């Protein structure tokens, strides 16, 4: 099972800030940071509406940023990803789970299950779910209730 | 015995079996059958639930259930269909073993009969896969190509080849399908920007159209993986046509069936084996 580093609270705080940023921008509030060697190498928040692309989840954005970081810092992506942890405010969906699996990156999170799928198995042995879930849920509620006042 | 007596014995037995030995997950299987000689047989329980014990021990266990056995005959093992029948042919084959219920899906039947598409549409399908094949050849390592088409106009909106190489440090996520979806997003952003600057009257309709792949068809030479299949669900794709199945990673039929997964909020139709032989040679 994955363990979060000593700075995990600080990193998670940044993930929540990113989720908040998404909320303000009218996106589903999910934020994440990708950490390698005690350093954030990728940050992301949902930008689906902004770029009109349903695959631009926080995780995918962070992964793309991390690839750039690797290039700029002359670090091999295969080394960086397989030794990295993703801290994310909402449990990754099937698409993002599979992407993380391709990269051998661990998902560590304060997940709230909003997509209930058996594919959780894909990363189940590598996750630490459930901490601070309420905070992530509150953000999601703000988004969905904001969109549908009658809901 | 009188027919009426037999039926009432059967009814009682079925009621007792239902209470004590329910057939979980076999809603398509009829509990009782009457063969051509007029003999009745009732399913007691599933052998697989008791697979860890011998047949003798199983018989004993069954006989110990709170059921009135006095008018019932011998226990024996039969084979039944594990899943419900989707086609009439499956129904006919399965019924030879044990009766099952069948609700014909007219659309699937029409598709199997080869009557879903007319000649012109079939020609378009092959033409579009042909474009996917030439796109696939653009990458020398992973020869996979994807093409997004608007079926209303049969216009090609985007095409992409696989962006991976054998190097583990290359972009491992640049699958052809993902790149194709990215390009559609970029196209929609560009369309919106043009509309905003010139204030075209169809701005509203473009916004209505949405940012996703709603109403579009995807053609791809190889069955999409889990990541790509889920990306297509997120994008609200209309239909997917692929050439070759992927037994190891395929998520639209082979390994998983993401396109019909009950837990997901969008489903789509998938057609395979379009130019399969040609695409087999790509690998
Ligand atoms: Zn995701
Ligand atoms: Zn893929």
């Amino acid at each position: 099972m994955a363990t979060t580093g000593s700075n995990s609270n600080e990193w998670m705080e940044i993930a929540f800030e990113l989720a908040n940023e998404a909320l303000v921008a009218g996106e589903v509030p999910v934020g994440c940071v990708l950490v390698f060697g005690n350093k954030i190498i990728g940050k992301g928040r949902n930008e689906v509406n902004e770029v009109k692309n349903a695959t631009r989840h926080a995780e995918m954005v962070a992964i793309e940023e991390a690839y750039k970081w690797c290039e700029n810092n002359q670090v091999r992506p295969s080394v960086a990803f397989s030794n990295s942890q993703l801290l994310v405010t909402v449990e990754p969906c099937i698409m993002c789970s599979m992407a993380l699996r391709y990269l051998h990156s661990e998902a560590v999170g304060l997940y709230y299950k909003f997509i209930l799928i058996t594919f959780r198995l894909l990363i189940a042995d590598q996750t630490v779910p459930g901490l601070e879930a309420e905070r992530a849920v509150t953000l999601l509620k703000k988004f969905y209730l904001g969109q549908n006042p009658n809901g | 015995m009188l027919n009426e007596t037999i039926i009432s014995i059967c009814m009682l037995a079925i009621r007792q079996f239902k209470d004590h030995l329910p057939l979980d997950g076999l809603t398509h299987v009829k509990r009782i059958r009457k063969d051509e000689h007029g003999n009745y047989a009732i399913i007691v329980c599933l052998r697989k639930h008791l697979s860890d014990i011998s047949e003798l021990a199983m018989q004993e266990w069954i006989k110990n259930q709170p059921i009135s056995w006095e008018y019932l005959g011998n226990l024996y093992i039969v084979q039944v269909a594990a899943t419900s029948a989707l086609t009439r042919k499956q129904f006919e084959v399965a019924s030879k073993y044990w009766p099952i219920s069948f609700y014909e899906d007219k659309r699937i039947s029409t598709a199997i009969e080869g009557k879903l598409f007319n000649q012109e549409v079939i020609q378009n399908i092959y033409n579009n896969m042909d474009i996917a094949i030439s796109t696939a050849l653009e990458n020398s390592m992973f020869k996979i190509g994807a093409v997004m088409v608007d079926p209303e106009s049969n216009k090609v909106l985007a095409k992409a080849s696989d962006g991976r190489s054998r190097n583990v440090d290359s972009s491992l996520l640049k699958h052809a399908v993902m790149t194709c979806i990215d390009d559609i997003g970029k196209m929609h952003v560009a369309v919106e920007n043009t509309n905003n600057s010139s204030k075209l009257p169809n701005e509203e309709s473009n916004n209505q159209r949405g940012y996703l792949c709603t109403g579009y068809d995807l053609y791809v030479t190889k069955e999409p993986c889990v990541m790509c299949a889920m990306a297509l669900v997120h994008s609200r794709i209309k239909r997917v046509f692929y050439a070759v199945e992927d037994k190891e990673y395929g998520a639209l039929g082979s390994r998983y069936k993401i396109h019909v997964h009950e837990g997901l909020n969008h489903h789509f139709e998938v057609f395979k084996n379009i130019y399969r032989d040609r695409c087999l040679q790509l690998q």
Side-chain angles (χ1 to χ4, degrees), chain A residues 52-54 67 76 78 94 102, chain B residues 169 172 182 185 192 211 225:
Chain A
K52 299 183 182 296
N53 182 341
Y67 264 115
R76 294 178 57 194
S78 60
I94 298 171
Y102 282 136
Chain B
D169 291 315
L172 299 178
D182 282 352
E192 192 184 68
Y211 50 85
C225 72

Side-chain angles (χ1 to χ4, degrees), chain B residues 267-281:
Chain B
H267 298 134
F268 52 86
E269 289 185 343
V270 174
F271 301 86
K272 65 172 182 176
N273 293 349
I274 295 110
Y275 279 140
R276 181 173 181 272
D277 289 344
R278 278 180 70 191
C279 291
L280 270 174
Q281 287 164 22

Side-chain angles (χ1 to χ4, degrees), chain B residues 73-92:
Chain B
N74 294 331
L75 288 168
Y76 58 98
I77 292 172
V78 290
Q79 286 191 301
V80 300
T83 56
S84 59
L86 295 175
T87 68
R88 184 156 289 281
K89 202 169 168 195
Q90 286 176 355
F91 169 67
E92 282 162 9

Side-chain angles (χ1 to χ4, degrees), chain B residues 175 225 227-228:
Chain B
H175 298 194
C225 72
M227 175 180 72
C228 293

Side-chain angles (χ1 to χ4, degrees), chain B residues 4 71 91 107 153 171 184 186-187 212 243:
Chain B
E4 279 163 40
Y71 298 109
F91 169 67
R107 193 164 167 79
S153 58
S171 320
I184 291 291
K186 283 176 195 152
M187 183 191 85
L212 306 161

